[in-house]
Amino acid sequence: MTSRPATARRLDEDLARALAHPLRQRILMLLEREVQSPLDLARAMGEPLNKIGYHVHALREAGCIELVRTEHRRGAVAHFYRPTSRAFLTDEQWAGLPLGIRRRLVAQTLSDLVGDARGAAEGKGFDHEQVHVTRTELEVDEEGFEALVDLMNQTLDRALEIQAESINRRATGETEPDAPSHRTLLGLLHFHRR
């Protein structure tokens, strides 16, 4: 068994720390939809500009986002960013993280997911007839487990492709401007039962 170089482990840990803060995850999700400035993000998130600026800087330092353009606005220069990668770690990066960091990231993600689901349940988030909520217990061999891991990754990749296609249709005018937009949340969990 070969160990990963210390520099690769350090980069993975830096990336994990950057993504561990819930505001940074939200910033990345907003930037996945469109290129934005810290001011745009602060307005969309209802947060102070200095707070968002701090987290944008941390994401840029970690290599999660990149500057794509600048604009002069009212005597200041606005910086616009886009993500360099999706707002989560690859399986390889995840496996290389120390257990303590992985547990903190899981706890943060579950907290966000449960909070979002609770908010949706208190409103009309689960009222649509095509909403999907299931809990399925499985027992599989090692090959089956690997197949399920692949399925989760394929599902997530395809979901992101569908979102990109939707954004492109709106941007090119293929979708009617007043056509409804479905703001949804896809939560995928696959873990060992007790």
Side-chain angles (χ1 to χ4, degrees):
M1 180 173 140
T2 59
S3 64
R4 298 168 62 231
T7 53
R9 286 193 303 274
R10 176 84 246 149
L11 288 172
D12 288 350
E13 288 181 32
D14 289 346
L15 179 60
R17 283 189 183 94
L19 296 177
H21 196 286
L23 268 181
R24 293 179 193 162
Q25 291 178 5
R26 288 176 57 206
I27 288 168
L28 280 171
M29 286 185 241
L30 287 171
L31 291 177
E32 283 177 354
R33 294 182 197 153
E34 65 181 320
V35 171
Q36 295 186 60
S37 72
L39 180 60
D40 298 330
L41 292 164
R43 287 177 179 157
M45 298 170 74
E47 296 285 350
L49 177 58
N50 62 341
K51 186 176 186 179
I52 296 300
Y54 171 82
H55 291 294
V56 166
H57 176 76
L59 287 168
R60 187 172 181 190
E61 288 296 308
C64 297
I65 61 174
E66 64 184 356
L67 180 68
V68 292
R69 75 175 191 274
T70 58
E71 287 180 10
H72 290 282
R73 287 185 174 176
R74 298 182 187 138
V77 178
H79 297 81
F80 290 83
Y81 297 94
R82 72 172 171 213
T84 57
S85 61
R86 295 192 307 224
F88 45 85
L89 301 166
T90 65
D91 288 345
E92 184 179 81
Q93 289 169 321
W94 179 259
L97 291 175
L99 183 58
I101 291 177
R102 289 198 318 254
R103 285 181 174 166
R104 283 195 301 275
L105 289 171
V106 165
Q108 180 63 55
T109 301
L110 286 174
S111 176
D112 292 345
L113 182 61
V114 169
D116 289 337
R118 185 179 298 113
E122 290 168 356
K124 297 181 180 182
F126 289 94
D127 290 357
H128 195 280
E129 66 272 5
Q130 291 180 309
V131 164
H132 182 96
V133 179
T134 57
R135 180 182 180 278
T136 306
E137 295 184 11
L138 304 169
E139 186 168 344
V140 295
D141 62 7
E142 188 63 28
E143 186 177 333
F145 183 80
E146 292 299 323
L148 286 168
V149 169
D150 288 343
L151 177 62
M152 294 291 101
N153 287 326
Q154 291 169 20
T155 300
L156 181 56
D157 288 342
R158 182 62 187 129
L160 292 169
E161 288 171 4
I162 291 168
Q163 175 179 256
E165 292 163 2
S166 296
I167 290 169
N168 188 49
R169 281 191 297 273
R170 283 197 180 276
T172 59
E174 293 177 50
T175 302
E176 294 294 322
D178 57 346
S181 179
H182 297 269
R183 296 187 63 216
T184 68
L185 189 144
L186 174 64
L188 297 173
L189 297 174
H190 180 232
F191 53 92
H192 285 93
R193 290 180 281 143
R194 252 199 254 188

